[in-house]
Amino acid sequence: MALNLFKKKHQKESNPIVVKSPVDGQAVPLEQVPDEVFSTKVLGDGIAVIPQEADALTVYSPISGTISLFADTCHAVGLTTPEGVELLLHFGLDTVNLNGEGFTPRATQGKKIKAGQPLMDVDLTVLKK
């Protein structure tokens, strides 16, 4: 699934920034996320993706750019496109409290990455607990 959420006003229509889904699953509006930080869009516009039922999954980069943030707890990754568009991937609710348990990074902060490259593996059985 490709989303055209982030287009700069001066950007040509022929060169939109395409954001791919980082995991297979069902896209839902942020307003439906049971956390006010996301549902009220305090951190900006976007979507939530409910992953397909599985015990584990790989999260892939939805855009090409640079990993500008890779949280020590692995629950969030920030990406920046060459055009300067910033995107935050946040995994689960209250997952910062897991202190990295259930997350296995496959990339590092500062690394240039292409859309579709793996960012991390996630053990969903840990997150569901």
Side-chain angles (χ1 to χ4, degrees), residues 56-126:
L57 60 83
T58 299
V59 178
Y60 298 93
S61 182
I63 58 172
S64 295
T66 301
I67 300 172
S68 49
L69 165 77
F70 209 112
D72 292 339
T73 55
C74 298
H75 77 288
V77 176
L79 303 166
T80 305
T81 70
E83 298 84 6
V85 174
E86 295 178 312
L87 182 124
L88 174 69
L89 297 175
H90 189 280
F91 309 101
L93 300 175
D94 298 323
T95 48
V96 67
N97 299 328
L98 294 174
N99 293 317
E101 184 182 354
F103 298 99
T104 304
R106 293 180 61 183
T108 56
Q109 187 167 321
K111 179 181 178 183
K112 292 201 182 301
I113 195 157
K114 297 217 180 271
Q117 282 186 272
L119 289 171
M120 74 174 62
D121 295 318
V122 181
D123 182 341
L124 294 176
T125 58
V126 172

Coordinates of all heavy atoms in Angstrom, one line a residue, residues 56-126:
A56 N 5.4 -13.0 14.8 CA 6.6 -12.1 14.6 C 6.4 -11.4 13.2 O 5.7 -11.9 12.4 CB 7.9 -12.9 14.7
L57 N 7.1 -10.3 13.1 CA 7.1 -9.6 11.8 C 8.4 -8.8 11.6 O 9.1 -8.6 12.6 CB 5.9 -8.7 11.6 CG 5.7 -7.6 12.6 CD1 6.4 -6.4 12.2 CD2 4.2 -7.2 12.6
T58 N 8.6 -8.5 10.4 CA 9.7 -7.6 10.0 C 9.1 -6.3 9.6 O 8.1 -6.2 8.9 CB 10.6 -8.2 8.9 OG1 11.1 -9.4 9.3 CG2 11.7 -7.2 8.5
V59 N 9.7 -5.2 10.1 CA 9.3 -3.8 9.8 C 10.2 -3.3 8.8 O 11.4 -3.4 8.9 CB 9.3 -2.9 11.1 CG1 8.9 -1.5 10.7 CG2 8.4 -3.5 12.1
Y60 N 9.7 -2.8 7.7 CA 10.5 -2.3 6.6 C 10.4 -0.8 6.5 O 9.4 -0.2 6.9 CB 10.0 -2.9 5.2 CG 10.1 -4.4 5.2 CD1 9.1 -5.2 5.6 CD2 11.3 -5.0 4.8 CE1 9.2 -6.6 5.6 CE2 11.4 -6.4 4.8 CZ 10.4 -7.2 5.2 OH 10.5 -8.6 5.2
S61 N 11.4 -0.2 6.0 CA 11.4 1.3 5.8 C 10.3 1.7 4.8 O 10.3 1.2 3.6 CB 12.8 1.8 5.4 OG 12.7 3.2 5.2
P62 N 9.4 2.6 5.1 CA 8.4 3.0 4.2 C 8.9 4.1 3.2 O 8.2 4.3 2.2 CB 7.3 3.6 5.1 CG 8.1 4.1 6.3 CD 9.3 3.1 6.5
I63 N 10.0 4.6 3.4 CA 10.6 5.7 2.5 C 12.1 5.5 2.4 O 12.7 4.8 3.2 CB 10.3 7.1 3.0 CG1 10.9 7.3 4.4 CG2 8.8 7.4 3.0 CD1 10.9 8.7 5.0
S64 N 12.7 6.1 1.4 CA 14.1 6.2 1.3 C 14.6 7.4 2.0 O 13.9 8.5 1.9 CB 14.5 6.2 -0.2 OG 14.2 5.0 -0.8
G65 N 15.7 7.3 2.6 CA 16.2 8.5 3.3 C 17.3 8.1 4.4 O 18.0 7.1 4.1
T66 N 17.3 8.8 5.5 CA 18.3 8.6 6.5 C 17.6 8.3 7.8 O 16.5 8.9 8.1 CB 19.2 9.8 6.7 OG1 19.9 10.1 5.5 CG2 20.2 9.6 7.8
I67 N 18.1 7.3 8.6 CA 17.5 7.0 9.9 C 18.0 8.1 10.8 O 19.2 8.1 11.2 CB 17.9 5.6 10.4 CG1 17.4 4.6 9.4 CG2 17.3 5.4 11.8 CD1 17.9 3.2 9.7
S68 N 17.1 9.0 11.1 CA 17.5 10.2 12.0 C 17.3 9.9 13.5 O 17.9 10.6 14.3 CB 16.7 11.4 11.5 OG 15.3 11.1 11.5
L69 N 16.6 8.9 13.8 CA 16.4 8.5 15.2 C 16.1 7.0 15.2 O 15.3 6.5 14.5 CB 15.1 9.2 15.8 CG 14.6 8.6 17.1 CD1 15.5 9.0 18.3 CD2 13.2 9.0 17.3
F70 N 16.8 6.3 16.1 CA 16.5 4.9 16.4 C 16.5 4.8 17.9 O 17.5 4.8 18.5 CB 17.5 4.0 15.8 CG 17.0 2.6 15.4 CD1 16.8 2.2 14.1 CD2 16.5 1.7 16.4 CE1 16.3 1.0 13.8 CE2 16.0 0.5 16.1 CZ 15.9 0.1 14.8
A71 N 15.3 4.8 18.5 CA 15.2 4.9 20.0 C 15.9 3.7 20.6 O 15.9 2.6 20.1 CB 13.7 4.8 20.4
D72 N 16.6 4.0 21.7 CA 17.3 2.9 22.5 C 16.4 1.8 22.8 O 16.8 0.6 22.9 CB 17.9 3.5 23.8 CG 19.0 4.5 23.5 OD1 19.6 4.5 22.4 OD2 19.3 5.3 24.4
T73 N 15.1 2.1 23.0 CA 14.2 1.0 23.4 C 13.6 0.4 22.1 O 12.7 -0.5 22.2 CB 13.0 1.6 24.2 OG1 12.5 2.7 23.4 CG2 13.5 2.1 25.5
C74 N 14.0 0.8 20.9 CA 13.6 0.3 19.6 C 12.1 0.4 19.3 O 11.6 -0.1 18.3 CB 14.0 -1.2 19.5 SG 15.8 -1.4 19.6
H75 N 11.3 1.1 20.1 CA 9.9 1.3 19.9 C 9.6 2.3 18.9 O 8.4 2.4 18.5 CB 9.2 1.5 21.2 CG 9.3 3.0 21.6 ND1 10.5 3.5 22.1 CD2 8.4 4.0 21.6 CE1 10.3 4.8 22.4 NE2 9.1 5.1 22.1
A76 N 10.5 3.1 18.5 CA 10.3 4.2 17.5 C 11.5 4.5 16.6 O 12.7 4.3 17.1 CB 10.0 5.5 18.3
V77 N 11.2 4.8 15.4 CA 12.3 5.1 14.4 C 11.9 6.4 13.7 O 10.7 6.5 13.2 CB 12.5 3.9 13.4 CG1 13.5 4.3 12.3 CG2 12.9 2.6 14.1
G78 N 12.8 7.3 13.5 CA 12.6 8.5 12.8 C 13.3 8.4 11.5 O 14.5 8.0 11.4
L79 N 12.7 8.8 10.4 CA 13.3 8.8 9.1 C 13.2 10.2 8.4 O 12.2 10.9 8.7 CB 12.6 7.8 8.2 CG 12.6 6.3 8.7 CD1 11.6 5.5 7.9 CD2 14.0 5.7 8.6
T80 N 14.2 10.6 7.7 CA 14.2 11.9 7.0 C 14.5 11.6 5.5 O 15.5 11.0 5.2 CB 15.2 12.8 7.6 OG1 14.9 12.9 9.0 CG2 15.1 14.2 7.0
T81 N 13.6 12.2 4.6 CA 13.9 12.0 3.2 C 14.9 13.0 2.8 O 15.2 14.0 3.5 CB 12.6 12.3 2.4 OG1 12.3 13.7 2.5 CG2 11.4 11.4 2.9
P82 N 15.5 12.9 1.6 CA 16.4 13.9 1.1 C 15.8 15.3 0.9 O 16.5 16.3 1.0 CB 16.8 13.3 -0.3 CG 16.6 11.8 -0.2 CD 15.4 11.7 0.7
E83 N 14.5 15.3 0.8 CA 13.8 16.6 0.7 C 13.5 17.2 2.0 O 13.0 18.3 2.1 CB 12.4 16.4 0.0 CG 12.5 15.9 -1.5 CD 12.6 14.3 -1.5 OE1 12.6 13.6 -0.5 OE2 12.9 13.8 -2.6
G84 N 13.9 16.5 3.1 CA 13.7 17.1 4.5 C 12.4 16.7 5.1 O 12.1 17.2 6.2
V85 N 11.6 15.8 4.5 CA 10.3 15.4 5.1 C 10.7 14.4 6.2 O 11.5 13.4 6.0 CB 9.4 14.7 4.1 CG1 8.2 14.2 4.8 CG2 9.0 15.8 3.1
E86 N 10.1 14.6 7.4 CA 10.4 13.7 8.6 C 9.2 12.8 8.8 O 8.1 13.2 8.7 CB 10.7 14.5 9.8 CG 11.9 15.3 9.7 CD 12.2 16.2 10.9 OE1 11.3 16.9 11.4 OE2 13.3 16.1 11.4
L87 N 9.5 11.5 9.1 CA 8.5 10.5 9.3 C 8.8 9.7 10.6 O 10.0 9.4 10.8 CB 8.4 9.6 8.1 CG 7.3 8.5 8.2 CD1 6.4 8.6 7.0 CD2 8.0 7.1 8.3
L88 N 7.9 9.5 11.5 CA 8.1 8.8 12.7 C 7.3 7.5 12.6 O 6.1 7.5 12.3 CB 7.6 9.6 13.9 CG 7.6 8.8 15.2 CD1 9.1 8.6 15.7 CD2 6.9 9.6 16.3
L89 N 8.0 6.4 12.9 CA 7.3 5.1 13.0 C 7.3 4.7 14.5 O 8.4 4.8 15.1 CB 8.1 4.0 12.2 CG 8.3 4.1 10.7 CD1 9.2 3.0 10.2 CD2 6.9 4.0 10.1
H90 N 6.2 4.5 15.0 CA 6.0 4.1 16.4 C 5.4 2.8 16.5 O 4.3 2.6 15.8 CB 5.2 5.2 17.2 CG 5.2 5.0 18.6 ND1 4.4 4.1 19.3 CD2 5.9 5.6 19.6 CE1 4.6 4.1 20.6 NE2 5.6 5.0 20.8
F91 N 5.9 1.8 17.3 CA 5.4 0.5 17.3 C 4.7 0.2 18.6 O 5.3 0.2 19.6 CB 6.6 -0.5 17.1 CG 7.4 -0.2 15.9 CD1 8.6 0.5 16.1 CD2 7.0 -0.4 14.6 CE1 9.4 0.8 15.0 CE2 7.7 -0.1 13.6 CZ 8.9 0.6 13.7
G92 N 3.4 0.0 18.5 CA 2.5 -0.4 19.6 C 2.3 0.8 20.5 O 2.7 1.9 20.3
L93 N 1.5 0.5 21.6 CA 1.2 1.5 22.6 C 1.9 1.1 23.9 O 1.9 -0.1 24.3 CB -0.4 1.5 22.8 CG -1.2 1.9 21.6 CD1 -2.7 1.8 21.9 CD2 -0.8 3.3 21.1
D94 N 2.5 2.1 24.5 CA 3.2 1.9 25.8 C 4.4 0.9 25.6 O 4.9 0.4 26.6 CB 2.3 1.4 26.9 CG 1.2 2.4 27.2 OD1 1.5 3.6 27.2 OD2 0.1 2.0 27.5
T95 N 4.9 0.8 24.4 CA 6.0 -0.2 24.1 C 7.3 0.4 24.6 O 8.3 -0.4 24.8 CB 6.1 -0.5 22.6 OG1 6.0 0.7 21.9 CG2 5.0 -1.4 22.2
V96 N 7.4 1.7 24.9 CA 8.6 2.2 25.5 C 8.9 1.5 26.8 O 10.1 1.3 27.2 CB 8.6 3.8 25.7 CG1 7.5 4.1 26.7 CG2 9.9 4.3 26.0
N97 N 7.9 1.1 27.5 CA 8.0 0.4 28.8 C 8.7 -1.0 28.7 O 9.1 -1.5 29.7 CB 6.7 0.3 29.5 CG 6.1 1.7 29.8 OD1 6.8 2.6 30.0 ND2 4.8 1.7 29.7
L98 N 8.8 -1.5 27.5 CA 9.4 -2.8 27.3 C 10.9 -2.8 27.3 O 11.6 -3.8 27.3 CB 8.9 -3.5 26.0 CG 7.4 -3.8 25.9 CD1 7.0 -4.3 24.5 CD2 7.1 -4.9 26.9
N99 N 11.5 -1.5 27.2 CA 12.9 -1.3 27.2 C 13.6 -2.2 26.2 O 14.7 -2.7 26.4 CB 13.5 -1.6 28.6 CG 13.0 -0.6 29.6 OD1 13.0 0.6 29.3 ND2 12.6 -1.1 30.8
G100 N 13.0 -2.3 25.0 CA 13.6 -3.0 23.9 C 13.3 -4.5 23.8 O 13.6 -5.1 22.8
E101 N 12.7 -5.0 24.8 CA 12.3 -6.5 24.8 C 11.3 -6.7 23.6 O 10.3 -6.0 23.5 CB 11.7 -6.9 26.1 CG 11.4 -8.4 26.1 CD 10.7 -8.8 27.4 OE1 10.6 -8.0 28.3 OE2 10.3 -10.0 27.5
G102 N 11.5 -7.7 22.8 CA 10.7 -8.0 21.7 C 11.1 -7.3 20.4 O 10.5 -7.6 19.3
F103 N 12.0 -6.4 20.4 CA 12.5 -5.7 19.2 C 14.0 -6.1 18.9 O 14.8 -6.1 19.8 CB 12.5 -4.2 19.5 CG 11.1 -3.7 19.7 CD1 10.7 -3.4 21.0 CD2 10.2 -3.4 18.6 CE1 9.4 -2.9 21.2 CE2 9.0 -2.9 18.9 CZ 8.5 -2.6 20.2
T104 N 14.2 -6.5 17.7 CA 15.6 -6.8 17.2 C 15.9 -5.8 16.1 O 15.4 -6.0 15.0 CB 15.7 -8.2 16.8 OG1 15.3 -9.1 17.8 CG2 17.1 -8.6 16.4
P105 N 16.8 -4.8 16.3 CA 17.1 -3.9 15.3 C 17.9 -4.5 14.1 O 18.7 -5.4 14.4 CB 17.9 -2.8 16.0 CG 18.2 -3.3 17.3 CD 17.4 -4.5 17.6
R106 N 17.6 -4.1 12.9 CA 18.3 -4.5 11.7 C 18.9 -3.3 11.0 O 19.4 -3.5 9.9 CB 17.4 -5.3 10.8 CG 17.0 -6.6 11.5 CD 16.1 -7.5 10.7 NE 16.7 -7.9 9.4 CZ 16.0 -8.6 8.5 NH1 14.8 -9.0 8.7 NH2 16.6 -9.0 7.4
A107 N 18.9 -2.2 11.6 CA 19.5 -1.0 11.0 C 19.9 -0.1 12.2 O 19.6 -0.4 13.4 CB 18.5 -0.2 10.2
T108 N 20.6 1.0 11.9 CA 21.1 1.9 13.0 C 20.9 3.3 12.6 O 20.8 3.7 11.4 CB 22.6 1.7 13.2 OG1 23.3 1.8 12.0 CG2 22.9 0.3 13.7
Q109 N 20.9 4.2 13.6 CA 20.7 5.6 13.5 C 21.9 6.1 12.6 O 23.0 5.7 12.7 CB 20.7 6.3 14.8 CG 20.4 7.8 14.7 CD 20.1 8.3 16.1 OE1 19.5 7.7 16.9 NE2 20.5 9.6 16.3
G110 N 21.5 7.1 11.7 CA 22.5 7.7 10.8 C 22.7 6.9 9.5 O 23.3 7.5 8.6
K111 N 22.2 5.7 9.4 CA 22.3 4.9 8.2 C 21.4 5.4 7.1 O 20.2 5.8 7.4 CB 22.0 3.5 8.5 CG 22.1 2.6 7.3 CD 21.8 1.1 7.7 CE 21.8 0.3 6.4 NZ 21.4 -1.1 6.7
K112 N 21.8 5.5 5.9 CA 21.0 5.8 4.7 C 20.3 4.5 4.4 O 20.8 3.4 4.5 CB 21.8 6.3 3.5 CG 22.4 7.6 3.8 CD 22.7 8.3 2.5 CE 23.3 9.7 2.7 NZ 22.6 10.6 3.4
I113 N 19.0 4.6 4.1 CA 18.2 3.4 3.9 C 17.2 3.6 2.7 O 16.8 4.7 2.4 CB 17.4 3.0 5.2 CG1 16.8 1.6 5.1 CG2 16.3 4.1 5.5 CD1 16.6 1.0 6.4
K114 N 16.9 2.6 2.0 CA 16.0 2.6 0.9 C 14.6 2.1 1.3 O 14.6 1.2 2.2 CB 16.5 1.8 -0.3 CG 17.8 2.4 -0.9 CD 17.8 2.3 -2.4 CE 19.1 2.8 -2.9 NZ 19.1 4.2 -3.2
A115 N 13.6 2.6 0.7 CA 12.2 2.0 1.0 C 12.3 0.5 0.7 O 12.8 0.0 -0.3 CB 11.2 2.7 0.1
G116 N 11.7 -0.2 1.7 CA 11.6 -1.7 1.5 C 12.7 -2.4 2.3 O 12.7 -3.6 2.4
Q117 N 13.8 -1.7 2.8 CA 14.8 -2.4 3.5 C 14.4 -2.6 4.9 O 13.6 -1.8 5.5 CB 16.1 -1.5 3.6 CG 16.9 -1.5 2.3 CD 18.2 -0.8 2.5 OE1 18.3 0.4 2.2 NE2 19.2 -1.5 2.9
P118 N 14.8 -3.7 5.5 CA 14.3 -4.0 6.9 C 14.9 -3.1 7.9 O 16.1 -2.7 7.9 CB 14.9 -5.4 7.2 CG 15.4 -5.9 5.9 CD 15.6 -4.8 5.0
L119 N 14.0 -2.7 8.9 CA 14.4 -1.8 10.0 C 14.6 -2.6 11.3 O 15.5 -2.4 12.0 CB 13.4 -0.7 10.2 CG 13.3 0.4 9.2 CD1 12.1 1.3 9.5 CD2 14.5 1.2 9.2
M120 N 13.7 -3.5 11.5 CA 13.7 -4.4 12.7 C 12.8 -5.6 12.6 O 11.9 -5.6 11.8 CB 13.4 -3.5 13.9 CG 11.9 -3.2 14.1 SD 11.6 -2.4 15.6 CE 12.5 -0.9 15.4
D121 N 13.0 -6.5 13.5 CA 12.1 -7.6 13.7 C 11.4 -7.4 15.0 O 12.0 -6.9 15.9 CB 12.9 -9.0 13.7 CG 13.6 -9.3 12.3 OD1 13.0 -9.0 11.3 OD2 14.7 -9.7 12.4
V122 N 10.1 -7.8 15.0 CA 9.3 -7.6 16.2 C 8.7 -8.9 16.6 O 8.0 -9.6 15.8 CB 8.3 -6.5 16.0 CG1 7.4 -6.3 17.2 CG2 8.9 -5.2 15.5
D123 N 8.8 -9.3 17.9 CA 8.2 -10.4 18.4 C 6.8 -10.0 19.0 O 6.7 -9.3 20.0 CB 9.0 -11.0 19.6 CG 8.4 -12.3 20.2 OD1 7.2 -12.5 20.0 OD2 9.1 -13.0 20.8
L124 N 5.8 -10.2 18.2 CA 4.4 -9.7 18.6 C 3.8 -10.4 19.8 O 3.0 -9.8 20.5 CB 3.5 -9.9 17.4 CG 3.8 -9.0 16.2 CD1 2.8 -9.3 15.0 CD2 3.7 -7.5 16.5
T125 N 4.3 -11.6 20.1 CA 3.8 -12.2 21.4 C 4.2 -11.4 22.6 O 3.5 -11.3 23.5 CB 4.3 -13.7 21.5 OG1 5.7 -13.7 21.5 CG2 3.8 -14.5 20.3
V126 N 5.4 -10.8 22.6 CA 5.9 -9.9 23.7 C 5.1 -8.7 23.7 O 4.6 -8.3 24.8 CB 7.4 -9.6 23.5 CG1 7.8 -8.6 24.5 CG2 8.3 -10.9 23.6

